[in-house]
Amino acid sequence: MNVLGIIASGAAALFITVVLAKGVRRATLRAGAAHAPGARPSRAGVVRRLGGTTVVLGVGAAAAAGTGLGAAGGSGRAVTGLLAGAAIMAALGLVHDVRPLGVPLRAVVQTAAATLAVCLAGLTPVAGVLAVTGIVAVTQAFALLDTSDGALAVVGTVTAAGLLVCAALDGRTGLALPPAVLLAGLVGFLLHNWHPARIRPGVGGSLFTGFVLASSGVLILAEAPPERAAWAALPVLATVALADTALVLVSRRRAARPLFQDCGDHITHRLRRLRVTVPGAAVLLGLWAGAGALTGTLVYAEVLHPAFVLVPVAGSAAAVVALLRIPAYVAPPVTATRRRPPTGTVPAGAVPAGAAPAGTSPRPGPNPVPAASGSPAPAPSAADPTRTTPGRPTVPPPPTGRPAVGLTADRG
């Protein structure tokens, strides 16, 4: 195993990512100041589009250089396919950041990128179909974690570390190279993405990170020895991402909300409603991912029985059920509307023009004034503005933090 090659590639990824991230931050601040002189610069739009490129360029360049110098060993073809598919995903995300794309088009491009990686890996047709499905699903799940400062970077770092350990146990240099450089790149990115975030991954960086993690897991699973029980160990490493996806899908289904629309109902959003700070939410997600990664690596190393993977799975399911009880949707207020009576009719309790109310004597003049005691009390409003639709409780918005991001990473 070319340990020195992997270390050198990781160091290069860390250095390139840190330098690029610092440059993007400075360029963003200058651009924001130019658009709003004398005011606090608004960096959201530019940062969202450029933040992820630091990870893409740093990790991609280091992995490509390592593969060219022989650090990938006999898995160079598979690593090349992985990097090609990851580049397609990054380009897709950057285009979506600039001009939002439809869900069908994104699904087609993601499937094509996963198919390219699987074909160059040399999997059988049946295994290839399952691998493409798993790569697309896990990639999208990881991409959805970009909902709070540091959330995606922390979970991605922990997951990449688990994949690196699993690949190192088999002595496969090529399979250890992608998670190693991604781990180093995410650490460098996290230096600027920690709360308060100066840069953010955006759709491009999120899809790139998720694709590298998902494809690395599939390749390790395909080449793992049978005694490793990789079929049970490796999926556990994606527990947090899959739990977050399951949470939003079930929540939106129960609330009759669109499945592919941003609703601010992810794990981090619900933790913020519990008054957990933004750094605290990232730490909790990291610990959650660490439990799954530790269990998966110990099962892969044959230290634990494969049945132990049910522990983090059951814990994640219980956490999803508990998080579903936290209100996540802010229902719009129901305003009362005043209905105009039909022409020619007199509303109940109203006094016709020119007529005196009962118990009073008529007064001369064109505008008689009705007695206050004869006017009935106004009827209660038919619509109560404090009531909401069942299943959509009104809750206060979460404390200020990261803006909400929705399913399929729809960010305009």
Side-chain angles (χ1 to χ4, degrees), residues 43-160:
R43 309 186 298 265
V46 179
V47 170
R48 189 177 300 165
R49 297 167 186 171
L50 298 181
T53 59
T54 61
V55 178
V56 174
L57 295 178
V59 173
T67 303
L69 295 176
S75 302
R77 180 182 173 87
V79 174
T80 301
L82 185 152
L83 295 177
I88 295 175
M89 298 296 283
L92 172 66
L94 291 176
V95 172
H96 181 71
D97 278 331
V98 178
R99 184 185 182 92
L101 304 174
V103 174
L105 178 58
R106 281 178 286 163
V108 170
V109 176
Q110 292 176 10
T111 304
T115 303
L116 175 62
V118 168
C119 289
L120 292 181
L123 300 182
T124 62
V126 176
V129 172
L130 296 176
V132 168
T133 305
I135 290 175
V136 173
V138 175
T139 298
Q140 191 60 55
F142 271 98
L144 296 180
L145 288 176
D146 182 25
T147 56
S148 182
D149 294 345
L152 175 64
V154 169
V155 177
T157 300
V158 174
T159 306

Side-chain angles (χ1 to χ4, degrees), residues 4-341:
L4 293 180
I6 292 179
I7 295 176
S9 299
L14 175 62
F15 176 77
I16 296 174
T17 304
V18 170
V19 172
L20 291 178
K22 190 173 183 178
V24 168
R25 178 190 175 188
R26 290 180 177 178
T28 301
L29 292 175
R30 287 195 298 267
H35 286 289
R40 186 177 180 179
S42 177
R43 309 186 298 265
V46 179
V47 170
R48 189 177 300 165
R49 297 167 186 171
L50 298 181
T53 59
T54 61
V55 178
V56 174
L57 295 178
V59 173
T67 303
L69 295 176
S75 302
R77 180 182 173 87
V79 174
T80 301
L82 185 152
L83 295 177
I88 295 175
M89 298 296 283
L92 172 66
L94 291 176
V95 172
H96 181 71
D97 278 331
V98 178
R99 184 185 182 92
L101 304 174
V103 174
L105 178 58
R106 281 178 286 163
V108 170
V109 176
Q110 292 176 10
T111 304
T115 303
L116 175 62
V118 168
C119 289
L120 292 181
L123 300 182
T124 62
V126 176
V129 172
L130 296 176
V132 168
T133 305
I135 290 175
V136 173
V138 175
T139 298
Q140 191 60 55
F142 271 98
L144 296 180
L145 288 176
D146 182 25
T147 56
S148 182
D149 294 345
L152 175 64
V154 169
V155 177
T157 300
V158 174
T159 306
L163 292 173
L164 176 60
V165 172
C166 292
L169 289 175
D170 294 329
R172 301 182 182 274
T173 306
L175 302 183
L177 179 62
V181 293
L182 181 63
L183 170 62
L186 289 178
V187 170
F189 180 78
L190 187 60
L191 298 178
H192 297 275
N193 185 239
W194 191 254
H195 182 74
R198 276 77 70 186
I199 61 174
R200 297 168 185 165
V203 186
S206 301
L207 290 177
F208 178 85
T209 300
F211 188 87
V212 173
L213 292 173
S215 301
S216 299
V218 167
L219 295 180
I220 295 174
L221 175 61
E223 299 190 19
E227 64 273 11
R228 291 295 190 187
W231 57 270
L234 294 178
V236 179
L237 273 65
T239 301
V240 175
L242 296 177
D244 182 70
T245 302
L247 173 66
V248 298
L249 290 178
V250 173
S251 179
R252 294 174 189 179
R253 180 67 177 176
R254 291 174 56 183
R257 297 228 172 200
L259 296 180
F260 303 105
Q261 183 178 350
D262 181 10
C263 297
D265 49 3
H266 293 261
I267 294 176
T268 54
H269 300 141
R270 298 172 192 264
L271 291 178
R272 294 291 289 137
R273 296 194 185 281
L274 295 177
R275 303 299 175 181
V276 178
T277 63
V278 175
V283 171
L284 287 178
L285 288 181
L287 294 176
W288 188 349
L294 178 61
T295 303
T297 52
L298 291 179
V299 170
Y300 191 88
E302 303 180 69
V303 176
L304 296 178
H305 190 271
F308 277 91
V309 300
L310 297 177
V311 176
V313 172
S316 299
V320 169
V321 173
L323 290 170
L324 283 172
R325 301 176 63 88
I326 302 175
Y329 306 115
V330 179
V334 181
T335 58
T337 57
R338 180 176 298 177
R339 301 179 61 183
R340 299 182 60 183

